[in-house]
């Protein structure tokens, strides 16, 4: 019976252009296969499991705006913040768009807007805080933190860095495993070179190791949290070292375009968040109204509304 049904549906599709209906769960299986190379694939799987509560029994063409609204309300009632709900909505939108545009499983799907009110994270360290953090880290972690602050590299870019991709004479490293999947070169400043020179000879393949072995675990482990506890630094993640690096660059006068290339971002959108840290280009404008420079302000005459009425009636 099932074979006959599938043959009938295939005939309808080829002869009359009728699309086969696909379930949400079928789409999730294919979506996870497509995204399997992502570093964050476990997070993607976790979100898909959460969404199965809402979509598990539905066909893709049965997903309506009301059902998506139910996801929003259900997750907010659980106490999740808008940022968390937006990650769910972004995955739904990405999956449905892929089903429509790439797999041709759908003709259309509901418009999905992300929630307003998501608070942008703005957490970075001062130079003094960074020095205190490095001073209490064990040696292997201190080297990684120093390299992150010098290059802006992400955690897995650092732990996966191999000596064959480093040229200390040219002061360059080449990353082949990046978040967006695009290999990129990283210029190494004097601080980064000093870190790598200190790690040379500890392993024949990997630049950063622990007790002579490659680091294959997340860096936000007990050593990281112990170091934060000793310094009293709160609400700080390892990835915030990248935010710190970018913030320091903007404060030092690095342009957004330069920062985009240094950090390997594909667009200016992610870089513009750091624009607020650089004000040098506005210094001349701010000085135009300084005391003693009032000559630049034209003393226009002013009239009250009553004076204007009296002048009009005269």
């Amino acid at each position: 019976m099932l074979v006959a049904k599938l043959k009938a549906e295939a005939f309808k599709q080829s002869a009359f252009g009728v699309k086969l209906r696909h379930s949400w769960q079928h789409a999730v299986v294919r979506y996870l296969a497509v995204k399997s190379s992502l570093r964050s694939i476990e997070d993607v799987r976790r979100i898909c499991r959460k969404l199965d509560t809402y979509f598990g029994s539905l066909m893709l063409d049965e997903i309506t705006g009301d059902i998506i609204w139910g996801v929003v309300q259900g997750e907010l009632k659980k106490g999740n913040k808008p940022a968390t709900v937006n990650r769910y909505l972004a995955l739904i939108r990405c999956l449905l768009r892929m089903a429509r545009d790439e797999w041709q499983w759908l003709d259309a799907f509901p418009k999905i807007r992300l929630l307003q009110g998501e608070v942008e994270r703005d957490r970075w360290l001062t130079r003094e805080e960074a020095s205190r953090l490095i001073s209490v880290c064990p040696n292997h972690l201190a080297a990684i933190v120093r390299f992150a602050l010098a290059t802006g590299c992400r955690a897995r870019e650092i732990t996966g860095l191999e000596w064959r991709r480093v040229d200390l004479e040219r002061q360059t490293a080449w990353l082949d495993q990046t978040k967006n999947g695009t290999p990129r070169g990283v210029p190494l400043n004097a601080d980064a070179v000093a870190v790598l020179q200190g790690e040379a000879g500890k392993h024949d393949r990997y630049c950063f190791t622990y007790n002579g072995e490659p680091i294959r675990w997340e860096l936000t482990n007990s050593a990281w949290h112990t170091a934060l506890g000793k310094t009293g630094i709160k609400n700080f993640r390892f990835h915030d070292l990248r935010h710190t690096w970018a913030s320091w660059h903007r404060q030092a006068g690095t342009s957004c375009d330069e920062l985009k290339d240094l950090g390997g971002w594909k667009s200016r959108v992610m870089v513009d968040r750091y624009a607020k840290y650089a004000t040098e280009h506005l210094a001349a404008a701010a000085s135009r109204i300084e005391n003693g420079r009032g000559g630049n302000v034209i003393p226009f005459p002013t009239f009250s509304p009553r004076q204007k009425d009296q002048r009009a009636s005269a």
Side-chain angles (χ1 to χ4, degrees):
M1 292 295 292
L2 178 60
V3 173
K5 180 180 179 182
L6 293 175
K7 286 183 177 179
E9 290 177 342
F11 174 77
K12 290 180 181 179
Q13 184 179 22
S14 60
F16 306 108
V18 177
K19 287 185 181 295
L20 295 178
R21 300 181 73 206
H22 296 272
S23 68
W24 166 262
Q25 292 180 340
H26 184 189
V28 166
V29 170
R30 187 164 181 176
Y31 181 79
L32 291 176
V34 172
K35 300 292 185 179
S36 60
S37 61
L38 286 178
R39 294 282 189 180
S40 57
I41 186 61
E42 289 304 321
D43 287 335
V44 175
R45 291 194 182 104
R46 178 182 57 80
I47 294 174
C48 286
R49 287 194 293 268
K50 295 278 189 180
L51 293 174
D52 194 66
T53 304
Y54 302 97
F55 299 140
S57 61
L58 297 178
M59 306 299 284
L60 290 179
D61 57 9
E62 293 176 332
I63 297 176
T64 64
D66 286 339
I67 292 174
I68 292 172
W69 178 249
V71 175
V72 173
Q73 295 303 302
E75 294 303 311
L76 289 177
K77 286 179 181 177
K78 291 179 183 178
N80 286 326
K81 296 180 179 179
T84 300
V85 179
N86 280 344
R87 285 198 291 272
Y88 293 7
L89 294 176
L91 188 148
I92 297 169
R93 185 167 61 185
C94 182
L95 186 150
L96 293 179
R97 183 181 291 127
M98 192 173 290
R100 182 194 65 188
D101 298 341
E102 298 183 25
W103 310 336
Q104 285 81 53
W105 288 2
L106 277 174
D107 290 321
F109 63 88
K111 188 175 184 64
I112 301 174
R113 295 182 182 275
L114 301 185
L115 300 182
Q116 300 292 323
E118 181 175 345
V119 179
E120 181 182 282
R121 187 174 179 82
D122 184 20
R123 185 70 173 94
W124 52 277
L125 298 179
T126 64
R127 295 277 183 176
E128 186 273 334
E129 287 176 322
S131 296
R132 285 196 289 115
L133 176 61
I134 292 169
S135 69
V136 298
C137 284
N139 291 336
H140 75 284
L141 184 57
I144 291 172
V145 171
R146 289 168 57 206
F147 192 79
L149 290 171
T151 63
C153 288
R154 301 175 178 89
R156 294 197 179 184
E157 293 172 345
I158 298 174
T159 57
L161 184 60
E162 301 178 6
W163 286 113
R164 65 188 179 92
R165 295 186 175 276
V166 173
D167 188 332
L168 291 180
E169 290 187 4
R170 295 174 59 187
Q171 297 188 330
T172 302
W174 292 271
L175 304 178
D176 62 334
Q177 299 179 9
T178 63
K179 182 179 179 181
N180 57 29
T182 303
R184 64 185 176 92
V186 177
L188 304 174
N189 60 21
D191 294 338
V193 170
V195 173
L196 290 173
Q197 288 174 336
E199 297 302 301
K202 295 183 179 180
H203 196 272
D204 59 353
R205 180 179 177 183
Y206 291 100
C207 299
F208 296 94
T209 58
Y210 175 67
N211 287 340
E213 295 295 328
I215 298 173
R216 305 188 187 281
W217 60 85
E218 294 293 333
L219 292 176
T220 51
N221 56 11
S222 58
W224 171 258
H225 291 296
T226 298
L228 291 179
K230 288 180 179 179
T231 58
I233 296 174
K234 301 182 183 298
N235 187 31
F236 194 79
R237 309 171 304 187
F238 187 91
H239 191 71
D240 291 329
L241 294 173
R242 181 170 167 85
H243 298 321
T244 298
W245 165 83
S247 301
W248 287 359
H249 261 291
R250 290 296 289 139
Q251 292 170 36
T254 303
S255 71
C256 282
D257 288 330
E258 290 173 322
L259 185 59
K260 170 181 168 294
D261 292 337
L262 284 172
W265 286 287
K266 285 189 173 181
S267 70
R268 274 281 301 268
V269 175
M270 294 299 293
V271 183
D272 285 342
R273 63 185 294 189
Y274 301 106
K276 57 182 175 290
Y277 296 118
T279 59
E280 292 87 351
H281 63 296
L282 299 175
S287 68
R288 291 180 190 137
I289 61 169
E290 291 174 350
N291 288 332
R293 297 188 63 177
N296 289 337
V297 180
I298 300 175
F300 286 113
T302 58
F303 302 99
S304 68
R306 180 175 297 179
Q307 287 175 315
K308 290 181 180 179
D309 293 340
Q310 291 174 350
R311 288 167 62 88
S313 60

